[in-house]
Amino acid sequence: MGQRINYFTAAPKAMEVLLAQEEYLGQAFKDKVALWELVKLRVSQINQCAYCIEMHSKDALSQGESVERLYGLTAWREMPFYSDLEKSALGWAELIISDSPVSDGQYQNALSVLGEQGLVDLTIAVNAINSWNRIGKVFIPDVGVYQPS
């Protein structure tokens, strides 16, 4: 089955809100683009959003990410390819999209690595990709045609 509804034409104002959030995040992560792409890809893998997995894999590769790190992302804890910052961000992303509560220890650990602004921005970024994943899973955009800009 192909795309069900073109959500951009059906609800342009709603999409403007999500795109404005993406613009903010693009600025927030302008010096950490690789980290942002890894987080978006990992959350999309967990949410099983085919379109977003394709998009963020291709975007990461086009920005110089290694194939090895993309393949290893599903087992990032056991792979030696990720920095402490990336591990903290990936762990935080997985935690906040799970049904588990965030303990004080988990919060303090993430805060100590990411800082206040970083923790807020990362939380918003995870929320954003989670929203896009839900939209993608419902309206099923065409997979296999995405090209990085």
Side-chain angles (χ1 to χ4, degrees):
M1 173 182 234
Q3 183 167 335
R4 295 176 175 166
I5 294 173
N6 183 328
Y7 38 91
F8 280 94
T9 57
K13 295 273 188 214
M15 295 300 106
E16 285 176 19
V17 170
L18 292 176
L19 291 172
Q21 183 173 248
E22 289 296 315
E23 188 174 320
Y24 169 82
L25 292 168
Q27 288 301 308
F29 287 90
K30 71 180 176 193
D31 296 329
K32 297 179 186 95
V33 175
L35 173 66
W36 191 28
E37 288 300 333
L38 289 174
V39 167
K40 290 189 287 187
L41 180 54
R42 183 65 189 127
V43 172
S44 298
Q45 289 171 337
I46 293 166
N47 288 332
Q48 298 179 7
C49 179
Y51 181 78
C52 294
I53 291 169
E54 175 192 23
M55 174 189 291
H56 300 303
S57 296
K58 287 180 176 180
D59 283 347
L61 288 169
S62 75
Q63 295 164 12
E65 187 56 79
S66 74
V67 172
E68 188 173 53
R69 282 171 37 100
L70 294 184
Y71 287 152
L73 195 54
T74 57
W76 62 267
R77 285 175 181 85
E78 289 80 33
M79 298 289 199
F81 313 132
Y82 308 99
S83 70
D84 289 342
L85 176 64
E86 290 167 336
K87 289 178 180 180
S88 183
L90 291 166
W92 184 255
E94 289 183 3
L95 176 64
I96 65 172
I97 65 167
S98 74
D99 290 331
S100 301
V102 177
S103 72
D104 288 341
Q106 291 165 317
Y107 172 81
Q108 289 299 329
N109 182 53
L111 182 61
S112 71
V113 174
L114 300 165
E116 287 184 5
Q117 179 80 42
L119 188 58
V120 171
D121 287 342
L122 179 60
T123 301
I124 292 168
V126 171
N127 181 62
I129 190 56
N130 205 33
S131 294
W132 286 113
N133 291 163
R134 299 304 189 249
I135 291 166
K137 287 185 70 160
V138 170
F139 299 115
I140 310 176
D142 291 330
V143 176
V145 297
Y146 177 80
Q147 294 299 317
S149 54

